[in-house]
Amino acid sequence: MAEKKAVLVVAGKASISNATIAKKGVLVSYTPGDLAMASQVEEAVKVGADAVGAELEKGTPFVIVDLGAADDAALDAALEKILDAADRRTIVAIAGANKLAFYGNGVAKAAEVKKGAVAADIVPTLCYVADANLPAGIEDGRVIYAALKDPNARLKELAKMQESLKSMQAAMTRDTHEPWDKHDCA
């Protein structure tokens, strides 16, 4: 099974207006801030928009794309490349000048979150959805559950795994007997 991945696109000067994001993603009111903490995520790699596909194919779990002072057109062009490279197990977060957007794995569709987010909330949310370890020292951020399709998805996943483990344990208990123990041949 393919691993979950996350892509963080930092476009501090651009406003988010991509039609694809508006139809299939979540827009969040956002107060911009420092996103340097993203590079502390285990195995995080910082690349340009052209290299995202190669990094995701290599299995890089957390990719950071810093577009600097890109304008709206540059952001849309970069998003086209990034969204083409992302598969169904990838979550993409775009931090713009006025909004934060989430797209992809585990994200609600065509939604808008009224409660505002801050920069410190982005990395915990991406790590939560992508099953990545949250870097030590990040205590301020919170997971933006309102942006998720199913806020309890991780709990449901854990419950399924526990049920599977119980089934396997029961099967192993049944199969520990020798074949001749099952019949009274004496």
Side-chain angles (χ1 to χ4, degrees):
M1 179 164 61
E3 294 295 316
K4 297 177 184 175
K5 299 174 197 105
V7 177
L8 171 60
V9 180
V10 182
K13 302 291 182 198
S15 57
I16 298 171
S17 60
N18 187 296
T20 303
I21 298 297
K23 283 192 281 187
K24 295 184 179 180
V26 175
L27 294 174
V28 182
S29 298
Y30 169 65
T31 304
D34 184 20
L35 291 168
M37 71 186 97
S39 61
Q40 297 172 14
V41 173
E42 192 175 318
E43 298 183 56
V45 175
K46 196 172 190 179
V47 298
D50 294 333
V52 171
E55 287 299 327
L56 292 176
E57 275 202 26
K58 283 195 307 190
T60 304
F62 200 99
V63 179
I64 304 164
V65 179
D66 190 347
L67 299 176
D71 62 2
D72 295 357
L75 173 60
D76 285 344
L79 280 179
E80 188 174 321
K81 293 174 189 172
I82 293 166
L83 296 179
D84 282 345
D87 65 12
R88 65 179 187 80
R89 306 232 346 128
T90 304
I91 181 171
V92 179
I94 304 103
N98 61 340
K99 294 271 186 196
L100 171 63
F102 290 100
Y103 178 87
N105 180 38
V107 173
K109 304 288 185 238
E112 188 160 349
V113 176
K114 301 294 184 211
K115 186 174 182 181
V118 295
D121 299 337
I122 297 171
V123 172
T125 303
L126 290 175
C127 287
Y128 177 81
V129 174
D131 293 334
N133 292 327
L134 193 62
I138 296 181
E139 296 95 19
D140 294 338
R142 62 180 176 83
V143 175
I144 307 169
Y145 290 105
L148 305 179
K149 185 182 335 182
D150 183 3
N152 294 319
R154 294 271 304 267
L155 290 173
K156 290 176 183 175
E157 227 174 273
L158 183 59
K160 277 184 182 178
M161 289 170 51
Q162 288 173 333
E163 190 60 38
S164 295
L165 180 61
K166 285 179 186 176
S167 295
M168 287 190 292
Q169 287 173 332
M172 288 175 61
T173 305
R174 283 192 308 266
D175 293 335
T176 57
H177 303 290
E178 296 297 331
W180 51 84
D181 289 343
K182 294 181 183 176
H183 303 286
D184 187 16
C185 297

